[in-house]
Amino acid sequence: MSDRYSPPPAFAARARINADTYSALGLDRVSDDDAERLAYWSHAAEALTWRSHWHTLLDWQAPRARWFVGGTLNATESCLDRHLSTWRRNKAAIIWEGEPLQGERPTEVRTLTYQQLHDEVCRFAGALQNLGVETGDRVCIYLPLVPEAVIAMLACARLGATHSVVFGGFSAEALRDRIHDSACKVVITADGGARKGQIVRLKDTVDQALSDQRTSSIRHVVVLKRTGHDVKMVPERDLWWDEATANAKPLYQAVYVSAEHPLFILYTSGTTGKPKGVVHSTGGYLTGVSRSYRFVFDHKDQDIFWCSADVGWVTGHSYVAYGPLCNGATIFLYEGAPTHPEPNRFWDMIERHRISILYTAPTAIRTFMRLGDHHVRRHDLSSLRLLGSVGEPINPEAWRWYHDVVGGGRCPIVDTWWQTETGSIMASPLPGLTTTKPGSCMKALPGIDLCVVRADGTACDPSEQGLLVSRKPWPSMMQTVWGDDERYRQAYWSQIKDPVTGQPWYFTGDGARFDEDGALWIAGRVDDVVNVAGHRLGTAEIESALVLHPAVAEAAVVGRPDEVRGQAVVAFVTLKADQTPSDALKAALAKQVASEIGSFARPDEIRWAGALPKTRSGKIMRRLLRELATKGRVDGDLTSLEDFGAIAALQKDDES
Ligand code: WT7
């Protein structure tokens, strides 16, 4: 059938997992059987470098999973040291290309072998140690996508310090909240980054974030010289990266930590105004990312793997840094914007560097599709052998374009479903095995349980849409919300229970269905989280930002479908009685959101509302607003509305 794509025979024949190896390795039996599943994960964990072996594979007391109890390790030994005793010592670990800053410098390319990366990491770990960073401390990383971002992450891990990477697009306010929440000791940043020919003044933003008592935990700021423009250096507190490393004694001896030691915290949006610090372990996390990288991306030593995500998102943690490096892969990094300076930037780099695997987001794919095939077709992309998609549902049309135009019809596509919380890919085709359907992420990976259920926990029938849950713990699952175990339990383990035993299950927040063939289709979030261009935003977070403006009485934010970016943000705003609506006020509100969260969170549309539609108990009826934002009108049952007038007025507004 034309809507199914079986793995190209040439690909399947050489694939790590294909029909033969799949059953030979017993992978077909793994998901259903508890003992098989645990044996599978035990085997996967053996592929890491451990200092001492675990005595208990899993201690599971929902919602707390302790994997590999008693085991000790250092993440960087699995990512770096172990390759040094093999031929990979001289293999490229990172090939990086910078974005040219307007006329100032030619395209810059840097390559770091595993040996060189190891050296840089040990040296920077020594520098952090000099600055008083100790095992267990938190370090904030706020850098552009340069090799030093990966070096800084690994240097923290080398010391047993927990890194908290904050995406460079976040504002000073957002950075301050995150530094405060996990009481970071050091910030690692750069003078600036390059974005579409402009300088993003990261150091200025850090200074602004630190101009407040709430960040008093910070002792030092390490500044990488990237753009070379003038920045203010605060004596005693700030020092340049080069100064910090110049007289540091490299930390060749890694610090061993327990398998459960927090490798990193990554903040993500939830259903309240306050972002959650998702905590990931060391042993379990690495087991998940190294195994999934190997199987889903069919890891081969000859590959050059490009995951286009920023290290500020989980995709950048798991598949820019930890997963590929555990496998001794060569990763490609690109600092800048996908279409800068020309729309063919991606394809030009794939051709020049002979990149073999591209892992990117549907928003990027749809953007390229709109720009036209000719930008792609000009380039020799014959080095590509596998394509990946992540972050949002990919529509079949974009899938086929990716397959035909970018992949030349030769490359399987892996549509990978997962979350910040899951740490690693949970559902995806295995590219040498799975016959795929465009738009479906197909099937849970071996060792992963995924189930679609109704609100009461009973299983949905095939094709019936329900809620996506995981009934079994997996090694790379988040451990908790930083400093808030109760929020962890509430947010993920309180909504859905096993209808028979009453055991809580992990609720993903996504709606989904399995079709008649057992293929998994993700419908998107069912909670108050929107996904704009693969960026996850909490509607409550944007609302909190809006109501901080003195003119605003109330705000409700919803997502509406957007052809390119998946979803767009629409804000309904009620002004205080003495305020008059104006375009200038709209601009001021958008600016308010940019300064509270970051420019990427600016609403696409702000609509004035005389009043917001509420239930009798005073809850804003977001469903109605979503309908209004999407279709321009509201059908259906309005009987629980406090004030019909509110909706009527919004609809009338829409017609005018
Ligand atoms: C949410 C998680 C996974 C890393 C990047 C985003 C959506 C993610 C897919 C996919 C359909 C997807 C889900 C999920 N999502 N991948 N392949 N197909 N939807 O991580 O910011 O934690 O967001 O992204 O809605 O819950 P995140």
Side-chain angles (χ1 to χ4, degrees):
M1 258 195 286
S2 63
D3 64 340
R4 287 167 198 228
Y5 293 74
S6 49
F11 185 98
R14 301 190 55 239
R16 197 168 277 281
I17 305 296
N18 56 27
D20 298 335
T21 58
Y22 187 67
S23 47
L25 292 169
L27 297 176
D28 44 345
R29 298 189 305 274
V30 176
S31 293
D32 306 332
D33 180 277
D34 273 7
E36 287 273 354
R37 196 178 53 253
L38 292 178
Y40 172 83
W41 286 123
S42 171
H43 181 254
E46 298 285 356
L48 302 175
T49 301
W50 294 85
R51 170 67 175 180
S52 55
H53 204 272
W54 58 89
H55 53 71
T56 305
L57 182 65
L58 171 64
D59 170 16
W60 175 225
Q61 272 144 32
R64 183 117 190 105
R66 301 174 64 216
W67 284 88
F68 313 114
V69 188
T72 61
L73 75 169
N74 182 284
T76 63
E77 290 200 339
S78 288
C79 292
L80 303 171
D81 299 61
R82 65 151 138 190
H83 306 308
L84 301 188
S85 55
T86 72
W87 66 270
R88 291 189 191 86
R89 182 162 71 95
N90 293 324
K91 179 180 174 178
I94 297 178
I95 300 172
W96 171 83
E97 180 159 324
E99 186 188 283
L101 273 179
Q102 251 157 17
E104 280 183 17
R105 48 169 201 230
T107 295
E108 205 182 326
V109 175
R110 281 167 67 193
T111 303
L112 286 158
T113 64
Y114 271 93
Q115 170 90 63
Q116 290 168 327
L117 181 59
H118 178 264
D119 227 66
E120 297 282 342
V121 167
C122 292
R123 194 171 301 279
F124 195 61
L128 290 176
Q129 207 171 33
N130 277 352
L131 295 176
V133 176
E134 292 169 22
T135 306
D137 285 343
R138 274 81 53 212
V139 171
C140 177
I141 299 175
Y142 188 67
L143 281 170
L145 194 48
V146 290
E148 283 78 5
V150 178
I151 293 167
M153 289 161 76
L154 294 172
C156 291
R158 189 98 186 151
L159 263 174
T162 300
H163 58 71
S164 164
V165 182
V166 177
F167 171 56
F170 277 109
S171 69
E173 278 299 326
L175 177 62
R176 175 186 294 156
D177 286 347
R178 286 157 176 75
I179 290 171
H180 168 71
D181 186 73
S182 48
C184 295
K185 211 181 215 179
V186 165
V187 184
I188 303 163
T189 189
D191 47 1
R195 191 81 186 166
K196 296 186 184 161
Q198 303 293 315
I199 291 178
V200 182
R201 303 179 68 96
L202 296 171
K203 175 61 165 64
D204 293 0
T205 308
V206 170
D207 289 341
Q208 214 184 320
L210 298 187
S211 66
D212 186 292
Q213 266 312 301
R214 279 177 291 163
T215 51
S216 58
S217 59
I218 293 291
R219 303 244 196 101
H220 292 288
V221 179
V222 181
V223 187
L224 177 75
K225 192 169 268 175
R226 169 77 196 114
T227 50
H229 69 274
D230 274 345
V231 295
K232 204 177 100 221
M233 295 294 275
V234 177
E236 313 282 301
R237 188 194 73 181
D238 301 354
L239 73 169
W240 294 101
W241 178 293
D242 288 346
E243 276 176 83
T245 47
N247 40 29
K249 194 166 146 284
L251 191 70
Y252 289 123
Q253 181 53 60
V255 175
Y256 296 108
V257 296
S258 74
E260 299 158 76
H261 185 77
L263 178 62
F264 66 86
I265 302 168
L266 185 58
Y267 287 86
T268 192
S269 298
T271 53
T272 73
K274 188 178 175 319
K276 298 178 275 202
V278 170
V279 179
H280 277 290
S281 71
T282 303
Y285 171 78
L286 282 187
T287 300
V289 297
S290 66
R291 173 50 64 94
S292 56
Y293 177 75
R294 207 171 175 80
F295 282 9
V296 173
F297 297 108
D298 188 42
H299 168 64
K300 298 273 163 58
D301 261 315
Q302 302 85 329
D303 281 322
I304 298 184
F305 176 77
W306 182 17
C307 165
S308 71
D310 191 275
V311 288
W313 309 110
V314 74
T315 311
H317 284 60
S318 302
Y319 302 105
V320 169
Y322 291 107
L325 296 176
C326 275
N327 285 281
T330 297
I331 57 179
F332 177 75
L333 286 182
Y334 168 57
E335 177 184 26
T339 51
H340 185 81
E342 300 291 336
N344 66 334
R345 182 73 203 221
F346 258 46
W347 324 119
D348 177 47
M349 289 192 296
I350 290 171
E351 178 172 8
R352 277 191 288 110
H353 295 282
R354 309 299 297 154
I355 287 161
S356 58
I357 307 178
L358 173 64
Y359 187 34
T360 195
T363 290
I365 298 165
R366 289 188 290 259
T367 302
F368 294 133
M369 196 170 137
R370 293 206 154 188
L371 289 167
D373 298 8
H374 57 287
H375 296 297
V376 189
R377 297 204 195 271
R378 282 175 48 192
H379 292 279
D380 172 6
L381 303 184
S382 59
S383 57
L384 286 174
R385 67 178 193 94
L386 177 61
L387 301 171
S389 171
V390 61
E392 350 147 33
I394 179 165
N395 49 309
E397 190 195 0
W399 194 105
R400 289 196 193 92
W401 183 85
Y402 198 27
H403 181 268
D404 297 346
V405 179
V406 177
R410 248 183 4 264
C411 310
I413 294 181
V414 287
D415 175 1
T416 62
W417 178 87
W418 57 297
Q419 309 178 293
T420 304
E421 292 86 344
T422 70
S424 61
I425 297 168
M426 300 288 274
S428 166
L430 291 169
L433 177 79
T434 313
T435 294
T436 50
K437 299 184 184 189
S440 166
C441 59
M442 298 308 297
K443 213 170 132 62
L445 289 182
I448 299 295
D449 174 83
L450 288 176
C451 188
V452 176
V453 300
R454 306 181 183 117
D456 65 4
T458 54
C460 287
D461 294 326
S463 295
E464 178 186 348
Q465 185 159 319
L467 307 167
L468 185 64
V469 299
S470 179
R471 298 167 301 180
K472 306 283 180 179
W474 64 100
S476 68
M477 64 195 268
M478 73 181 286
Q479 291 182 303
T480 188
V481 172
W482 179 263
D484 200 346
D485 289 339
E486 180 49 26
R487 187 167 178 200
Y488 168 62
R489 202 189 58 75
Q490 268 294 330
Y492 304 102
W493 299 90
S494 66
Q495 292 96 325
I496 300 173
K497 295 186 177 61
D498 183 326
V500 180
T501 64
Q503 272 284 308
W505 287 340
Y506 172 80
F507 176 44
T508 62
D510 276 343
R513 67 185 166 86
F514 281 104
D515 70 15
E516 303 285 341
D517 301 323
L520 179 60
W521 297 80
I522 306 293
R525 306 289 305 197
V526 297
D527 53 9
D528 293 324
V529 168
V530 283
N531 192 332
V532 179
H535 296 318
R536 176 161 157 188
L537 296 165
T539 52
E541 250 176 286
I542 304 173
E543 287 162 7
S544 309
L546 288 168
V547 298
L548 282 177
H549 194 280
V552 174
E554 234 184 346
V557 167
V558 297
R560 81 156 129 72
D562 181 272
E563 271 197 18
V564 174
R565 297 180 306 150
Q567 281 188 297
V569 168
V570 181
F572 292 89
V573 173
T574 304
L575 293 176
K576 288 186 182 151
D578 58 345
Q579 298 289 327
T580 27
S582 69
D583 285 349
L585 190 49
K586 277 190 186 174
L589 294 183
K591 201 165 151 221
Q592 176 87 29
V593 175
S595 80
E596 287 300 316
I597 306 172
S599 290
F600 64 92
R602 276 174 196 264
D604 297 89
E605 195 188 339
I606 294 176
R607 292 168 64 156
W608 306 122
L612 294 173
K614 293 192 183 153
T615 60
R616 289 178 206 283
S617 61
K619 231 181 131 214
I620 295 173
M621 299 190 76
R622 283 200 176 63
R623 181 181 61 79
L624 293 182
L625 294 175
R626 264 195 297 272
E627 264 184 63
L628 196 57
T630 308
K631 298 192 289 188
R633 69 193 142 71
V634 173
D635 319 312
D637 181 19
L638 302 182
T639 46
S640 56
L641 276 186
E642 169 70 20
D643 175 12
F644 290 94
I647 272 287
L650 287 169
Q651 277 189 288
K652 212 162 72 238
D653 237 34
D654 206 57
E655 283 150 21
S656 65

